[in-house]
Amino acid sequence: MTETRRIQLHLGKCIEDLDKLYNVPDLKSKRATLLCKTAQKLFESAEEARAKGDEEYSYVYYMKYLRVIAFISKDKEYLKDKNYFNNMLGPKNPNKAIDAAEKLKISLIERYAKEQKAKRLMDIQENELIKQKIDENRKKAMDTIAAEPPPPTGLPGPDEVTIKSDQLYTILKNGKLKVMILDARPGKDYINSHINHPACISVPEECISPGQSANVLEQNLPSASRPVWAERASSELIVMLDWSSTTVIPGKPLHLLKTILLKWDIKVQYSRQPVALWGGYEDWLLKYPAFTTNPQAIPPSQDIMLDDMLGEIDYPNWSDLNPTPAVSRPISSEPVIDRASKSAAVELYAERSRNMQHILEQQELIADTSLTLEMQRIEAEQDWEKIRQQGETEHRDELRAMYQLREQEIISQLMQLENKQFDMEQENQSLREKLEDYQRREREEAAKLAESIARSHLAPSADNEAVATAREREAAARDVEAKRARIAAVTAQRVSLDRQREALETERKRKLAEAREKQKPNYKEEDTESYGSSTESANAALNRSQSSPNIAKVSSDEEEPVVPSFDRSTKPAKVAPSSELRQRDFEPVWADVGRGLTGLKNLGNTCYMNSIIQCLNNTAILVTYFCNGQYLEHVNRSHSTRGAIAEELAAVVRGLWSGQYRFIATKDLRNEVGKHQRTFRGSEQQDSHEFLTILMDWLHLDLQFSIKPPLKENLGASERAWHEYTKSKESLVLRLFYGQIKSTVRCCVCATHSATYDSFSNLSLELPPHASRCTLSDCLKLYLNGETIPGWNCPNCKDKRDAVKKLDISRLPPVLVIHFKRFYLDPKEYCNAFRKRQTYIDFPLENLDMRQFSLNCPGNPVYNLYAVSNHYGSMEGGHYTAYCKSSVYGKWYKYDDHLVTEISPSEVKSSAAYILFYTSCER
């Protein structure tokens, strides 16, 4: 019988790597019967892998099998009835596994040794080749330098405000001039990558503000920048740069920095004004990546940077194109009431009185509900304190973990109760304004009615009618006052409870501080979730992303695979078994739950990741694509992540839709994400929007396939730009989530216009400033309204002109993701002081019509909401959850890490809404 062909080694580099993989979790809680079934599956997997020639997986499975067998042999049930369990396991299988594992180990040790030896020889050969190429390139460069004349070393003209990258490169290369480079990008961007020049320093954008002097700015600079900054007087050329500016725009960081240097730097007189690097660091990075500290840095997308350059302009809205016909109204501002009829006035008063009564009843209901929420918060605070103390005194790991899990649940509940109270206060404020308006109008009407009665000569019956009307007024007024008194009493009780809760929280913090002080030498911070009022949340500030990375343009000559087709009316079918051999440890908690209703364990501030995964897990077409295994046909190994992100997410989706787990852990996905993005590597809280944007780009690149390029002659401007962006490489993720924005810039003098197109995976919308309530329509109008650009280089006028920039949606995706910019930099605070807007945004759950906000886009412009990513708390400490509508059960569910509960549709709208997921597909 011929020997099975062995496949290439892929799981490790030595036998020690494999030894780390066959550990099994704690099996104390598992019954012997279940363990026997597990052992059988492991043995079968080992045999199957061995038959395929995969010695590594076969060895790991055999060793896992033997570990489980060793545990079963010590189980009480096994000792009672050995024959039964031995027959279940197969009497010959353990010995067979031992023999096979020993042979595999010997074979693998030999193969690893041969592979390492071959790799060393290959490395030596590659080093020799590299050395030869370096020598050849150096010789060519020397010959070229000798042949070419020396480049010019001139400075920019006295009237020039910018310098090109190639000109600056020439000056730096010659080294004859003393040049200082002031990098005015955000501090974290400078740390990530900057120009490799000794006198290039960080002047962080967040430290530059109007009215500053050079002395104040120097005090706010990073310590590494100050020594170089002190030498600015002797610099012959000072170059300022941001990410992509091509001019110095008033009010922006470069203009503010230039003003500080020229007007508010008393100690220094500059012989030459500072100049800006044309095109900013993005242009330098593109042309001279070798002269940067990190050539792999990703510039912010143009959408965000151009938004920052815009002013305001009164631009017509789409809704203005079809104005509603004007309704003729009386010229008088007074209500049209028949004053001759007293019954009409009485009826008007009665109607307003009923409206006032209704508002008061709503306020009364809100006051009662708010009181109930406050009591629940106090009860939760007390439970939290009790659980925390029990968790600190508990020494057994399993019970301590249980207490920590329960503590996270209570803290999450507290933050959501606080958010509900905030929403109710906003609603109560709206009702209070309506009530005051009714009262004002009622007083005016009462005065006019009294004047009418006083002027007329009433008959006795009319006098009786007036007296009856007055009595009705008095009775209604007493009823109103009684309801107000009750509302005031309930409000006072709530305020008292609120003070009691604050006292409990203060006392708890004091005790916690004392306990930590006593244990200070041995204290080690736990890697758990940071929430709003917890003292552990000091380092949990959200890392804000100001932009979304562009999708890399990857080209290859792959054969055209089958393009994925999907039926928008389909729902996720049965879960397809994974074709991947690698086993994942989801640390599952078993339970019989509905499909798609499995929670995700919090691995230490990973709620931001869990929230986004659950939203994607309820995108029906994407779930079908992962569960039926169709994605395996499109996994792209040429990208930097080598398809691993898509594979790990697919495994998680299959686990969530298996219906057999209460919750699972996403350790493998988190580790894979951390390999490729340092931000998500640690245990600090991160921004779910930043994670979503980067994840979308990864998935698109991981699942790319080539398509036949269309003829450009037959395409319009929008389609041509789209195909230039995709480079004939598409994916299901691209087709589902990506859309296109048209940006039109029009000169205010000659009306010359220029149009560009940019893609997006989500729309990031500003909120109306100083508004406690707004609508999604308000945010979209604010995003799409035209704005002015001062100093635009008009190609027709050949001069700098004021221009108008207008955004339009030129391509709507089937799945529309909308992000609200709730976090902003507070100018009243010091550097990096971000705040959160708690604005309540009213958004439709169904029938969001995007026709008024887009051009003539193909496809269905009407969307229904199916998922929301929520953020509770503040910048200092927050928590993420998800609200998702199941495509199987048609109900809304709340995904709070490992907890999944059903909610009513009325709970979906709240001031915690952060990212909305809409679909135009049938679910």
Side-chain angles (χ1 to χ4, degrees):
M1 189 173 178
T2 57
E3 184 181 355
T4 304
R5 183 183 176 185
R6 297 180 300 184
I7 68 173
Q8 188 176 357
L9 297 172
H10 61 94
L11 202 56
K13 297 180 179 179
C14 59
I15 198 67
E16 288 76 14
D17 291 346
L18 301 186
D19 292 339
K20 299 175 184 177
L21 300 178
Y22 57 71
N23 289 328
V24 294
D26 187 9
L27 304 175
K28 294 179 181 178
S29 61
K30 308 298 182 184
R31 298 187 60 183
T33 306
L34 181 61
L35 292 176
C36 287
K37 292 180 179 179
T38 302
Q40 287 176 335
K41 290 181 180 178
L42 288 171
F43 186 82
E44 291 170 1
S45 299
E47 292 285 297
E48 183 181 351
R50 193 179 185 187
K52 291 180 179 179
D54 193 337
E55 291 188 339
E56 290 174 307
Y57 267 122
S58 180
Y59 173 73
V60 171
Y61 284 138
Y62 276 131
M63 294 304 295
K64 280 191 175 184
Y65 168 79
L66 294 173
R67 287 284 180 95
V68 175
I69 292 295
F71 191 87
I72 293 173
S73 64
K74 300 175 184 178
D75 190 87
K76 293 180 181 179
E77 294 183 33
Y78 174 83
L79 296 175
K80 289 180 182 178
D81 194 353
K82 292 184 179 181
N83 292 331
Y84 170 75
F85 288 106
N86 286 336
N87 290 330
M88 183 182 294
L89 292 168
K92 296 182 180 180
N93 286 348
N95 292 332
K96 185 177 180 181
I98 292 172
D99 294 340
E102 289 179 352
K103 292 178 182 178
L104 287 171
K105 185 173 184 179
I106 294 170
S107 173
L108 286 168
I109 291 173
E110 291 177 356
R111 291 180 66 189
Y112 282 132
K114 289 180 181 178
E115 192 175 74
Q116 294 209 353
K117 184 177 179 180
K119 186 179 179 182
R120 282 196 296 270
L121 291 173
M122 190 179 296
D123 290 342
I124 292 171
Q125 293 173 357
E126 287 182 358
N127 289 335
E128 289 295 328
L129 289 174
I130 291 171
K131 188 176 179 181
Q132 290 177 7
K133 288 183 179 180
I134 291 173
D135 292 340
E136 291 174 2
N137 291 338
R138 185 183 291 115
K139 186 177 180 181
K140 289 180 181 179
M142 294 300 294
D143 294 342
T144 303
I145 292 172
E148 293 181 354
T153 60
L155 289 166
D159 297 329
E160 294 184 24
V161 295
T162 61
I163 183 173
K164 296 290 184 69
S165 294
D166 50 358
Q167 190 177 359
L168 176 60
Y169 172 75
T170 302
I171 293 172
L172 294 179
K173 188 176 179 182
N174 289 339
K176 295 180 179 180
L177 298 175
K178 187 174 182 180
V179 181
M180 178 183 291
I181 302 173
L182 305 181
D183 193 323
R185 295 176 300 143
K188 62 178 183 179
D189 292 344
Y190 174 86
I191 295 172
N192 182 38
S193 177
H194 59 267
I195 295 176
N196 194 0
H197 179 63
C200 177
I201 63 173
S202 174
V203 183
E205 173 188 319
E206 54 268 24
C207 294
I208 303 172
S209 60
Q212 271 186 325
S213 67
N215 184 43
V216 173
L217 178 60
E218 182 175 3
Q219 294 174 3
N220 294 330
L221 292 179
S223 56
S225 300
R226 293 174 189 170
V228 181
W229 172 267
E231 300 293 327
R232 62 192 181 281
S234 59
S235 297
E236 298 173 83
L237 176 64
I238 296 179
V239 180
M240 310 175 299
L241 64 91
D242 58 8
W243 265 113
S244 61
S245 292
T246 55
T247 186
V248 180
I249 301 174
K252 297 303 175 184
L254 292 186
H255 181 268
L256 295 176
L257 179 57
K258 187 175 181 179
T259 303
I260 291 170
L261 293 172
L262 296 181
K263 292 186 178 181
W264 305 111
D265 196 358
I266 301 173
K267 299 178 182 178
V268 179
Q269 291 295 326
Y270 296 93
S271 57
R272 175 181 295 276
Q273 68 172 354
V275 294
L277 181 63
W278 192 94
Y281 188 66
E282 184 175 358
D283 186 69
W284 181 272
L285 189 65
L286 179 67
K287 294 180 178 178
Y288 304 105
F291 290 88
T292 65
T293 58
N294 176 18
Q296 303 299 323
I298 301 176
S301 66
Q302 291 297 321
D303 284 346
I304 305 298
M305 291 188 295
L306 287 176
D307 286 346
D308 292 340
M309 296 171 59
L310 305 178
E312 296 182 357
I313 188 170
D314 185 13
Y315 205 92
N317 294 320
W318 283 97
S319 57
D320 297 336
L321 297 178
N322 297 308
T324 55
V327 179
S328 59
R329 299 183 181 275
I331 299 175
S332 173
S333 61
E334 296 181 2
V336 182
I337 301 170
D338 184 10
R339 294 297 180 182
S341 172
K342 191 181 299 180
S343 60
V346 173
E347 183 179 350
L348 176 65
Y349 171 78
E351 181 184 354
R352 288 184 178 168
S353 179
R354 284 193 298 271
N355 289 334
M356 288 174 60
Q357 291 283 352
H358 178 65
I359 291 175
L360 286 169
E361 287 171 2
Q362 286 182 297
Q363 283 190 306
E364 196 173 1
L365 178 62
I366 287 175
D368 289 337
T369 307
S370 185
L371 181 63
T372 304
L373 289 174
E374 192 64 42
M375 290 178 175
Q376 290 176 350
R377 287 180 69 184
I378 290 178
E379 185 179 351
E381 283 275 6
Q382 293 171 341
D383 288 346
W384 182 17
E385 176 68 14
K386 189 185 301 181
I387 292 293
R388 186 189 61 77
Q389 291 177 353
Q390 290 174 344
E392 288 180 350
T393 57
E394 183 56 57
H395 298 292
R396 285 176 292 180
D397 292 341
E398 58 271 20
L399 286 179
R400 190 187 302 114
M402 183 189 71
Y403 283 131
Q404 289 177 351
L405 197 63
R406 177 59 182 150
E407 184 181 358
Q408 289 182 7
E409 293 176 12
I410 295 173
I411 298 173
S412 173
Q413 180 187 359
L414 277 169
M415 301 187 75
Q416 293 173 52
L417 287 172
E418 184 179 2
N419 192 79
K420 285 183 179 179
Q421 277 193 310
F422 176 84
D423 289 349
M424 287 199 165
E425 288 170 1
Q426 293 295 318
E427 187 176 352
N428 194 30
Q429 177 65 25
S430 176
L431 291 172
R432 193 179 296 118
E433 292 171 358
K434 287 183 182 179
L435 183 61
E436 290 174 355
D437 182 61
Y438 273 118
Q439 288 174 331
R440 178 184 57 79
R441 292 162 62 185
E442 189 271 336
R443 285 194 297 268
E444 293 174 357
E445 291 299 321
K448 291 177 182 178
L449 182 59
E451 183 181 355
S452 175
I453 293 173
R455 288 180 179 179
S456 61
H457 299 286
L458 299 175
S461 60
D463 290 334
N464 294 335
E465 191 174 321
V467 171
T469 302
R471 286 177 179 172
E472 288 176 6
R473 285 176 179 274
E474 291 175 1
R478 285 195 298 270
D479 192 18
V480 167
E481 289 302 322
K483 287 185 179 294
R484 282 181 171 171
R486 187 180 182 283
I487 292 172
V490 172
T491 303
Q493 188 177 356
R494 188 184 69 81
V495 171
S496 175
L497 288 172
D498 198 29
R499 290 173 181 168
Q500 180 183 346
R501 184 184 57 78
E502 289 177 358
L504 288 172
E505 184 178 346
T506 303
E507 180 64 16
R508 180 185 60 78
K509 287 183 177 179
R510 185 187 64 80
K511 290 181 179 178
L512 187 62
E514 290 177 357
R516 285 184 172 173
E517 192 65 29
K518 292 177 182 177
Q519 300 177 358
K520 200 168 185 179
N522 300 322
Y523 173 69
K524 182 178 180 181
E525 185 175 354
E526 296 291 337
D527 185 20
T528 56
E529 186 74 23
S530 298
Y531 294 100
S533 59
S534 174
T535 54
E536 291 91 345
S537 63
N539 295 325
L542 291 173
N543 293 326
R544 299 295 305 153
S545 171
Q546 302 299 323
S547 65
S548 306
N550 291 326
I551 298 179
K553 309 294 190 296
V554 182
S555 60
S556 65
D557 298 327
E558 300 172 351
E559 294 183 0
E560 180 176 345
V562 180
V563 178
S565 59
F566 52 86
D567 181 4
R568 293 182 175 180
S569 64
T570 60
K571 295 181 175 59
K574 293 183 178 179
V575 178
S578 173
S579 63
E580 304 160 49
L581 293 176
R582 189 166 70 82
Q583 293 293 307
R584 296 170 178 84
D585 184 13
F586 287 135
E587 297 181 354
V589 173
W590 298 79
D592 187 12
V593 299
R595 291 166 52 227
L597 301 182
T598 296
L600 291 171
K601 183 180 179 182
N602 194 309
L603 303 175
N605 281 334
T606 57
C607 57
Y608 71 95
M609 187 181 297
N610 293 347
S611 172
I612 295 301
I613 290 173
Q614 293 290 14
C615 290
L616 295 178
N617 187 56
N618 282 274
T619 308
I621 295 175
L622 191 65
V623 170
T624 303
Y625 182 64
F626 281 136
C627 287
N628 64 16
Q630 189 179 359
Y631 77 99
L632 293 170
E633 301 173 12
H634 308 120
V635 174
N636 175 23
R637 304 295 182 187
S638 63
H639 177 46
S640 61
T641 62
R642 301 190 180 279
I645 300 293
E647 289 181 337
E648 293 302 333
L649 182 61
V652 170
V653 169
R654 289 195 298 270
L656 294 175
W657 279 86
S658 67
Q660 56 185 342
Y661 308 126
R662 180 171 167 241
F663 61 87
I664 60 175
T666 58
K667 284 187 174 180
D668 296 280
L669 175 60
R670 185 195 183 192
N671 292 339
E672 195 63 40
V673 166
K675 289 180 185 177
H676 306 286
Q677 187 70 20
R678 184 179 301 173
T679 309
F680 309 125
R681 196 173 298 168
S683 59
E684 293 183 351
Q685 183 69 277
Q686 301 298 335
D687 181 12
S688 68
H689 173 243
E690 182 178 9
F691 173 72
L692 170 66
T693 305
I694 295 175
L695 180 63
M696 285 292 99
D697 291 346
W698 277 339
L699 290 176
H700 165 61
L701 295 172
D702 274 0
L703 299 170
Q704 272 186 348
F705 51 83
S706 299
I707 62 171
K708 186 177 180 180
L711 296 175
K712 293 185 178 181
E713 296 78 12
N714 302 330
L715 299 177
S718 173
E719 287 294 319
R720 191 181 305 113
W722 178 260
H723 286 286
E724 286 175 359
Y725 165 71
T726 61
K727 300 293 184 183
S728 299
K729 296 246 179 215
E730 292 195 2
S731 69
L732 179 65
V733 175
L734 181 82
R735 293 184 174 185
L736 279 181
F737 292 93
Y738 282 70
Q740 188 185 65
I741 289 286
K742 178 183 179 182
S743 174
T744 305
V745 181
R746 187 183 302 274
C747 178
C748 295
V749 177
C750 68
T752 298
H753 67 276
S754 172
T756 57
Y757 296 85
D758 293 295
S759 66
F760 67 89
S761 61
N762 57 77
L763 292 178
S764 199
L765 307 183
E766 295 281 357
L767 305 183
H770 313 300
S772 59
R773 297 173 68 91
C774 68
T775 65
L776 175 57
S777 178
D778 295 334
C779 299
L780 286 167
K781 289 176 181 176
L782 185 64
Y783 177 73
L784 297 172
N785 278 353
E787 297 178 285
T788 55
I789 304 177
W792 182 61
N793 290 313
C794 177
N796 186 45
C797 299
K798 306 297 183 183
D799 201 355
K800 297 184 184 298
R801 302 292 190 190
D802 286 348
V804 177
K805 178 187 175 184
K806 178 71 171 66
L807 297 179
D808 294 298
I809 301 175
S810 54
R811 186 187 186 99
L812 281 168
V815 177
L816 179 63
V817 182
I818 297 175
H819 159 247
F820 297 121
K821 294 183 178 179
R822 290 194 176 273
F823 301 96
Y824 66 101
L825 187 64
D826 192 347
K828 298 178 182 178
E829 299 291 338
Y830 292 103
C831 296
N832 294 325
F834 276 90
R835 296 287 179 265
K836 180 186 175 185
R837 289 190 175 95
Q838 298 283 2
T839 308
Y840 181 94
I841 305 168
D842 188 11
F843 48 88
L845 301 187
E846 295 179 346
N847 298 324
L848 170 64
D849 193 345
M850 291 295 294
R851 278 176 292 193
Q852 60 175 318
F853 304 112
S854 60
L855 302 174
N856 296 323
C857 301
N860 184 9
V862 181
Y863 290 79
N864 294 324
L865 186 74
Y866 73 91
V868 182
S869 175
N870 300 303
H871 179 269
Y872 300 91
S874 62
M875 289 294 299
E876 288 71 34
H879 179 56
Y880 289 92
T881 67
Y883 293 158
C884 303
K885 187 176 182 180
S886 171
S887 59
V888 176
Y889 306 105
K891 299 177 182 178
W892 283 92
Y893 293 89
K894 178 174 74 173
Y895 296 81
D896 189 352
D897 287 335
H898 63 284
L899 295 175
V900 180
T901 54
E902 184 180 346
I903 60 172
S904 67
S906 61
E907 295 180 65
V908 175
K909 295 182 185 180
S910 76
S911 58
Y914 187 43
I915 305 174
L916 307 180
F917 291 74
Y918 282 93
T919 179
S920 61
C921 311
E922 296 179 11
R923 288 171 60 79

PDB file of all heavy atoms in Angstrom, residues 196 288-292 295:
ATOM      1  N   ASN A 196      12.175  61.796   8.378  1.00  0.00           N
ATOM      2  CA  ASN A 196      13.393  61.361   9.067  1.00  0.00           C
ATOM      3  C   ASN A 196      14.465  62.447   8.930  1.00  0.00           C
ATOM      4  O   ASN A 196      15.342  62.393   8.077  1.00  0.00           O
ATOM      5  CB  ASN A 196      13.870  60.036   8.466  1.00  0.00           C
ATOM      6  CG  ASN A 196      14.912  59.366   9.350  1.00  0.00           C
ATOM      7  OD1 ASN A 196      15.267  59.888  10.401  1.00  0.00           O
ATOM      8  ND2 ASN A 196      15.390  58.222   8.920  1.00  0.00           N
ATOM      9  N   TYR A 288       8.769  60.221  -1.075  1.00  0.00           N
ATOM     10  CA  TYR A 288      10.029  59.858  -0.421  1.00  0.00           C
ATOM     11  C   TYR A 288       9.766  58.979   0.810  1.00  0.00           C
ATOM     12  O   TYR A 288      10.069  59.366   1.947  1.00  0.00           O
ATOM     13  CB  TYR A 288      10.796  61.121  -0.003  1.00  0.00           C
ATOM     14  CG  TYR A 288      11.056  62.051  -1.156  1.00  0.00           C
ATOM     15  CD1 TYR A 288      10.324  63.229  -1.296  1.00  0.00           C
ATOM     16  CD2 TYR A 288      12.016  61.754  -2.122  1.00  0.00           C
ATOM     17  CE1 TYR A 288      10.544  64.082  -2.359  1.00  0.00           C
ATOM     18  CE2 TYR A 288      12.239  62.607  -3.190  1.00  0.00           C
ATOM     19  CZ  TYR A 288      11.503  63.771  -3.309  1.00  0.00           C
ATOM     20  OH  TYR A 288      11.717  64.611  -4.362  1.00  0.00           O
ATOM     21  N   PRO A 289       9.181  57.797   0.611  1.00  0.00           N
ATOM     22  CA  PRO A 289       8.884  56.934   1.770  1.00  0.00           C
ATOM     23  C   PRO A 289      10.136  56.476   2.511  1.00  0.00           C
ATOM     24  O   PRO A 289      10.075  56.194   3.706  1.00  0.00           O
ATOM     25  CB  PRO A 289       8.134  55.750   1.140  1.00  0.00           C
ATOM     26  CG  PRO A 289       8.568  55.745  -0.299  1.00  0.00           C
ATOM     27  CD  PRO A 289       8.782  57.178  -0.653  1.00  0.00           C
ATOM     28  N   ALA A 290      11.266  56.427   1.803  1.00  0.00           N
ATOM     29  CA  ALA A 290      12.498  55.973   2.458  1.00  0.00           C
ATOM     30  C   ALA A 290      13.008  56.991   3.471  1.00  0.00           C
ATOM     31  O   ALA A 290      13.800  56.641   4.349  1.00  0.00           O
ATOM     32  CB  ALA A 290      13.573  55.689   1.417  1.00  0.00           C
ATOM     33  N   PHE A 291      12.558  58.246   3.347  1.00  0.00           N
ATOM     34  CA  PHE A 291      13.005  59.292   4.265  1.00  0.00           C
ATOM     35  C   PHE A 291      11.932  59.599   5.301  1.00  0.00           C
ATOM     36  O   PHE A 291      11.688  60.737   5.657  1.00  0.00           O
ATOM     37  CB  PHE A 291      13.382  60.552   3.478  1.00  0.00           C
ATOM     38  CG  PHE A 291      14.635  60.391   2.663  1.00  0.00           C
ATOM     39  CD1 PHE A 291      14.569  59.901   1.366  1.00  0.00           C
ATOM     40  CD2 PHE A 291      15.881  60.674   3.208  1.00  0.00           C
ATOM     41  CE1 PHE A 291      15.719  59.721   0.614  1.00  0.00           C
ATOM     42  CE2 PHE A 291      17.030  60.505   2.462  1.00  0.00           C
ATOM     43  CZ  PHE A 291      16.962  60.024   1.160  1.00  0.00           C
ATOM     44  N   THR A 292      11.243  58.535   5.757  1.00  0.00           N
ATOM     45  CA  THR A 292      10.265  58.629   6.849  1.00  0.00           C
ATOM     46  C   THR A 292      10.590  57.549   7.876  1.00  0.00           C
ATOM     47  O   THR A 292      11.286  56.570   7.572  1.00  0.00           O
ATOM     48  CB  THR A 292       8.832  58.433   6.341  1.00  0.00           C
ATOM     49  OG1 THR A 292       8.690  57.092   5.842  1.00  0.00           O
ATOM     50  CG2 THR A 292       8.499  59.422   5.244  1.00  0.00           C
ATOM     51  N   PRO A 295       7.229  54.107   6.594  1.00  0.00           N
ATOM     52  CA  PRO A 295       6.611  54.298   5.263  1.00  0.00           C
ATOM     53  C   PRO A 295       5.264  53.612   5.114  1.00  0.00           C
ATOM     54  O   PRO A 295       4.583  53.821   4.120  1.00  0.00           O
ATOM     55  CB  PRO A 295       7.649  53.666   4.323  1.00  0.00           C
ATOM     56  CG  PRO A 295       8.393  52.693   5.170  1.00  0.00           C
ATOM     57  CD  PRO A 295       8.434  53.260   6.546  1.00  0.00           C
TER      58      PRO A 295
END
